[in-house]
Amino acid sequence: MNAYRSIKAPFLRAARIGAAAVALTLLSVAPASAQGSAAPASAAPASAAPASAAPRGATGLAISQIEASALLSRQRTRLYLSAPGLARGSDGLPAVEIWESPDGVSFERAELVALSERPNEDFGISFLLLLDNSGSMWTDRDGGPGEQGQKLRIEAAKEAAAAFISSLGPKDRVGLVVFNTRYWAALAPGSSPEDALRALDEIRRPSSEDAYTELYLSLERAIRDFAMEPGRRALIALSDGENYPYALIAGKPNPETGLAAASPAQAIDAAIREGVTVYALRYGAQKDQMLGAIADGSGGRSFDADDASALASVYDTIRRDVLAELAVDYRASMAPGERRWVRVAARDVQGRELRAERYYYVGTLFGSGAAAPEPFYFLAPLAAALLWLALVLFRLERETDKAGLRLLFAPGGQKTRFVPLAGVATVIGASPDADLSVAGNPALGARHATVLFDQATASYTLVADGSLTVNNRTVTKKKLESGDVINLAGTVVVFDEALAKAARAAKPDAKAAGKAGAGKPRAGSPKPSGAKSR
Amino acid sequence: MSITMKRAVMAAFGLLAAAALWPLMLALNAGRAFFHSYLIFTIAQGAALGLVFGAFFGSLEGVVVSSRPKALGGLLFGAAFGALAGAVGALAGQLFLFWAGSGLWRSASRRDGIGLAVAAGLGWAVAGSLLGLTEGLRARSGRKLAAGLLGGLAGGLIGGAALSAASYRFPERPLALLAGLSAFGLALGLAYAAFENRFSAGCLMVLNGPLKGKQYPVVSRFTRIGSAPGCDLVLKGYPEVAALHAALSLEGGRVFVRAAAPRAAAGRATVVAETKAPLLLVNDEPPGERALRPDDVLAVGKAKLIYGYFS
């Protein structure tokens, strides 16, 4: 039984990657057998063998793609499940349970919204073929120059790809990326199969400078280019060698990517973020060690092939696998955090438990911080409320309690000034010894105007020497009222006087009546309070 | 209070609102599991933002003119209308996201990254421009509506971009959210103040008494002056000011002042009641049928106001 190898292989690879962020497709045929079985790993068959050997075929369960594009709008996440031979429920559909977790530890059951069988037949599949066109691809199977009628590897790869493209259904979409030192998007994803066949024909032998194998960098870029495609995205990467980056080995910047480098962990992260499944096709004897781990981490599988017919059968296997998938829509939770784990549990027809678990990314507004605000943060609204209250309760201006002249506008641009009126006469003018001396206005007379105080009536009267207006009317003499605007040849002053005093003077009876009404009996008649101001 | 002072208070109110909103937003974020779906959660976020900003900006006019009833009424109206505005903004942002997710930014990482950030910023901008309408709606003033719409849009775009950028760039930092909210409030307050002045047809400044120095931009079609708290320009604490004393009307950019009379049909105010008419003078004369000119001095009871354009 293959269970042991299927569990262990991804773990070993993950350990080699040494990156915490590596995603693993945990596949198990009953947890007990996964942990305890000591079945030895058998050697991979010579050709077209699933190298990462997910226990598909007869039974098995894997999450091949997670689609979260409807999460923010309809609160739904879609899982594509590679799950042949599941036990069916009373409704005739495969019975699956979905669990979700914000941390990968505590899972909660999620509500299943819809389950469809073979959904990719109806909507079609998007394939992106990533084809190695490095120098070694232009050798034969044994690394020779292709004499004695030996087929070059690139020829075998093109043949297999052409056969695959020809077998695609009318709704399937395809794209082609050819890479070596350079990355060439030969055909944009989402194109028709006929265009793909034409693009295959345009592959040419690279110069020695261009013959490197920028495998990880190209893979990561292809994943991002592929991410725009709707629906099921299957990227099939074919390579006959190991990652052989130009910058690192040639010691100079790559003509396209400079000194950029990519790790398998980065490629896996990109695949998970974009919801792209990577299928690795390792051709020939020299195999990239991490390509299989990338495939596993992205929800795909890896295969080894040694010749053209093996290659063709791998392409066919991938397509049949994807066509046989289930799609499950479930109601996603509102758990905080950018990363979300999902677990699928089901039983195979023999009643054995099957489980698959992966994580995906959730876009969040205002970040993903789940931490509750610190209690002292709430001092901020408290302080804001207090400040607001203070602004409401305390008036920003205070009323004047004594009579005076306030400079409102002067041609010289002088600042507002307040001069209290004291004594019997207050002189306003340009002269330095005027009581209100205004500089910088040549039109102003030395003693332009005088404010006289009449003690008998406690009132102020303005007497003009030069021309002036009070409230825009030319006057020579005027009894001033609070707020009167005096314009002395462009210098504008406001006469200010406490209104309360004016009010008391104006309404002595009302005040007195109010006091009497307060219930304080007084001897004799109340004295008019107006008298006090005299 | 001068226009400069008013602007400072507006900016300060934006900051106060941000400080008040900040822990609320964090608490909402932490408690998102209680929400039924992301859509509702996002709408709740928008409503919370609108509620707090609306409450502060709605009470601003009352605070500036030192009228407590007006401040409280504005607070309640602003909170209610702001919550609605914020919810509508958030919904608009989400609609944009759904549209952009199927056209503009189709890949998951772009949708979850730039797409979400732009959608959020757009949502805040919409919320901001609607928030700007609060005062215009409260005062039923077309000019204030226009000023609010433009000021809110400008402030909302700038502030929304800052807020969204802060939460996108530093998703896990609570202080980044505070900075973003502060930028949003500041931009909204300053932009609104800038446009309000631009849209005013002059300004009345009080020359004496308790409200001395306060400026009232004339932006409404109809401004009631009196001692009653329901007036637009409340002259409280002035002798001889009637509850509804006078009214300013704005006709084709010109300002007319008339003694308040029992409202005649079709809003036409007629000068009546010579007997006990409250004192209303323009340059010490009864107001005629001419528009106010800069430097005109109004006497409303014992209160004196000067009309003009002040900086």
Side-chain angles (χ1 to χ4, degrees):
Chain A
M1 133 168 179
N2 271 348
Y4 174 76
R5 191 163 48 86
S6 71
I7 295 302
K8 195 166 179 191
F11 271 124
L12 289 176
R13 293 196 181 100
R16 267 186 255 140
I17 289 164
V22 169
L24 295 172
T25 311
L26 295 186
L27 308 155
S28 68
V29 180
S33 79
Q35 305 297 321
S37 167
S42 57
S47 71
S52 65
R56 289 163 230 189
T59 60
L61 178 63
I63 303 169
S64 47
Q65 186 181 322
I66 304 178
E67 190 66 32
S69 57
L71 181 60
L72 293 182
S73 52
R74 295 189 296 145
Q75 204 63 25
R76 281 188 195 180
T77 301
R78 164 170 277 212
L79 305 177
Y80 289 96
L81 301 178
S82 179
L86 289 190
R88 286 169 187 272
S90 52
D91 53 0
L93 291 170
V96 293
E97 279 180 17
I98 313 287
W99 299 72
E100 225 184 31
S101 164
D103 51 11
V105 180
S106 56
F107 281 83
E108 280 194 27
R109 182 83 184 264
E111 181 197 336
L112 199 136
V113 179
L115 188 148
S116 49
E117 292 187 274
R118 303 182 75 83
N120 300 322
E121 272 181 0
D122 297 329
F123 193 71
I125 308 161
S126 275
F127 289 101
L128 182 65
L129 307 184
L130 181 68
L131 206 58
D132 187 340
N133 187 29
S134 60
S136 58
M137 286 293 284
W138 292 82
T139 61
D140 60 33
R141 223 183 81 169
D142 309 315
E147 287 158 2
Q148 297 113 30
Q150 287 253 52
K151 209 180 257 177
L152 292 176
R153 293 180 195 181
I154 189 75
E155 286 167 353
K158 278 163 74 173
E159 265 174 38
F164 168 70
I165 289 166
S166 308
S167 75
L168 292 180
K171 286 178 182 164
D172 293 337
R173 301 161 299 275
V174 70
L176 178 68
V177 170
V178 179
F179 76 98
N180 35 50
T181 304
R182 295 168 187 274
Y183 178 98
W184 175 41
L187 185 71
S191 301
S192 70
E194 301 88 77
D195 293 334
L197 291 175
R198 231 169 292 139
L200 269 181
D201 281 340
E202 291 173 30
I203 296 174
R204 296 287 173 267
R205 185 175 199 145
S207 68
S208 61
E209 272 292 287
D210 284 349
Y212 292 73
T213 312
E214 288 280 8
L215 179 57
Y216 302 153
L217 215 53
S218 302
L219 188 55
E220 200 189 340
R221 184 164 163 199
I223 288 168
R224 302 215 181 274
D225 285 356
F226 195 24
M228 309 271 250
E229 273 295 288
R232 183 73 176 92
R233 294 175 286 271
L235 190 156
I236 306 176
L238 183 152
S239 177
D240 73 330
E242 294 184 46
N243 187 43
Y244 198 67
Y246 182 86
L248 198 68
I249 291 152
K252 48 190 176 183
N254 180 301
E256 285 179 355
T257 54
L259 296 173
S263 68
Q266 280 171 303
I268 292 173
D269 192 62
I272 292 172
R273 279 186 189 275
E274 306 290 12
V276 168
T277 314
V278 176
Y279 296 87
L281 221 166
R282 296 180 295 195
Y283 183 43
Q286 205 176 17
K287 296 172 174 63
D288 187 89
Q289 295 187 322
M290 305 312 297
L291 195 55
I294 295 173
D296 283 333
S298 72
R301 304 166 69 186
S302 56
F303 302 85
D304 293 330
D306 280 341
D307 54 42
S309 67
L311 272 179
S313 87
V314 169
Y315 276 120
D316 195 46
T317 303
I318 293 170
R319 179 157 183 267
R320 273 192 287 110
D321 272 9
V322 176
L323 276 176
E325 283 173 353
L326 296 176
V328 176
D329 293 302
Y330 70 93
R331 198 185 144 71
S333 75
M334 284 295 294
E338 194 198 13
R339 209 185 281 192
R340 178 91 48 96
W341 278 259
V342 59
R343 176 191 288 166
V344 182
R347 283 175 188 281
D348 68 9
V349 281
Q350 278 96 38
R352 286 179 298 187
E353 268 184 49
L354 301 173
R355 254 193 194 182
E357 194 177 306
R358 282 185 67 190
Y359 68 78
Y360 65 105
Y361 288 96
V362 183
T364 49
L365 289 163
F366 279 134
S368 48
E374 303 280 345
F376 71 86
Y377 288 179
F378 285 95
L379 291 176
L382 200 68
L386 284 176
L387 264 166
W388 181 85
L389 212 59
L391 278 170
V392 172
L393 291 181
F394 300 107
R395 306 217 152 137
L396 296 166
E397 280 96 8
R398 288 258 163 263
E399 196 182 348
T400 343
D401 55 356
K402 49 187 155 194
L405 292 172
R406 194 154 38 88
L407 194 63
L408 190 67
F409 173 75
Q414 276 172 295
K415 292 259 171 149
T416 310
R417 210 148 46 106
F418 183 78
V419 177
L421 292 170
V424 178
T426 305
V427 175
I428 313 165
S431 162
D433 45 77
D435 298 302
L436 175 54
S437 172
V438 180
N441 183 359
L444 198 66
R447 301 167 66 85
H448 204 105
T450 310
V451 180
L452 298 171
F453 182 56
D454 180 356
Q455 290 219 311
T457 57
S459 64
Y460 293 87
T461 306
L462 180 75
V463 179
D465 289 331
S467 73
L468 59 82
T469 65
V470 173
N471 298 341
N472 302 313
R473 292 163 69 83
T474 307
V475 294
T476 49
K477 190 175 175 184
K478 188 191 183 279
K479 190 178 164 190
L480 292 176
E481 286 175 21
S482 170
D484 273 349
V485 176
I486 308 161
N487 187 333
L488 313 108
T491 295
V492 184
V493 295
V494 179
F495 171 74
D496 204 355
E497 190 185 26
L499 279 171
K501 201 169 85 182
R504 269 200 305 276
K507 295 183 180 175
D509 298 340
K511 262 268 150 91
K515 271 181 187 165
K520 280 185 191 168
R522 281 186 172 206
S525 64
K527 216 181 191 176
S529 58
K532 269 188 258 171
S533 63
R534 269 149 228 236
Chain B
M1 182 177 298
S2 67
I3 294 286
T4 319
M5 187 71 176
K6 188 174 177 185
R7 280 184 189 164
V9 172
M10 269 189 160
F13 265 46
L15 293 178
L16 287 182
L21 182 62
W22 173 55
L24 193 66
M25 281 304 216
L26 289 175
L28 262 183
N29 208 21
R32 73 169 62 165
F34 295 105
F35 289 90
H36 183 257
S37 69
Y38 277 103
L39 192 63
I40 290 174
F41 171 65
T42 310
I43 289 173
Q45 274 187 325
L49 177 131
L51 181 125
V52 175
F53 276 106
F56 272 89
F57 284 124
S59 69
L60 184 108
E61 195 66 28
V63 171
V64 165
V65 301
S66 298
S67 159
R68 278 168 222 166
K70 196 177 262 188
L72 200 65
L75 178 102
L76 294 176
F77 177 81
F81 177 74
L84 188 72
V88 168
L91 198 61
Q94 288 298 295
L95 284 176
F96 169 78
L97 182 65
F98 304 151
W99 170 79
S102 58
L104 202 53
W105 297 300
R106 281 181 294 167
S107 77
S109 60
R110 302 199 74 192
R111 200 167 44 231
D112 292 349
I114 182 93
L116 213 49
V118 170
L122 202 79
W124 303 135
V126 171
S129 28
L130 292 178
L131 274 172
L133 297 178
T134 313
E135 178 56 22
L137 283 177
R138 197 196 59 74
R140 286 186 286 281
S141 148
R143 278 175 180 245
K144 276 193 177 178
L145 280 176
L149 192 67
L150 287 175
L153 191 66
L157 276 175
I158 298 166
L163 175 55
S164 192
S167 51
Y168 174 55
R169 183 74 188 77
F170 307 102
E172 305 287 345
R173 302 270 176 82
L175 282 178
L177 179 62
L178 179 63
L181 289 172
S182 302
F184 183 78
L186 207 59
L188 211 57
L190 288 177
Y192 182 75
F195 278 98
E196 185 189 38
N197 210 28
R198 187 142 307 168
F199 274 82
S200 77
C203 193
L204 282 176
M205 178 161 73
V206 184
L207 291 168
N208 62 345
L211 300 175
K212 181 168 57 197
K214 278 199 196 298
Q215 297 181 1
Y216 299 84
V218 182
V219 284
S220 306
R221 190 181 297 281
F222 198 71
T223 307
R224 291 159 298 169
I225 305 174
S227 61
C231 287
D232 304 294
L233 203 167
V234 183
L235 292 171
K236 209 177 149 204
Y238 289 86
E240 294 169 41
V241 176
L244 178 56
H245 194 117
L248 299 178
S249 56
L250 188 55
E251 290 158 25
R254 297 188 304 161
V255 182
F256 294 86
V257 62
R258 279 152 196 152
R263 215 57 96 74
R268 249 179 41 216
T270 44
V271 184
V272 285
E274 287 104 68
T275 45
K276 260 252 172 177
L279 182 69
L280 177 67
L281 300 172
V282 176
N283 297 335
D284 290 339
E285 282 183 328
E289 277 300 306
R290 72 163 178 87
L292 288 182
R293 288 193 285 256
D295 297 336
D296 276 353
V297 177
L298 267 72
V300 180
K302 286 289 177 192
K304 288 260 170 54
L305 303 102
I306 186 165
Y307 173 78
Y309 294 85
F310 312 103
S311 57

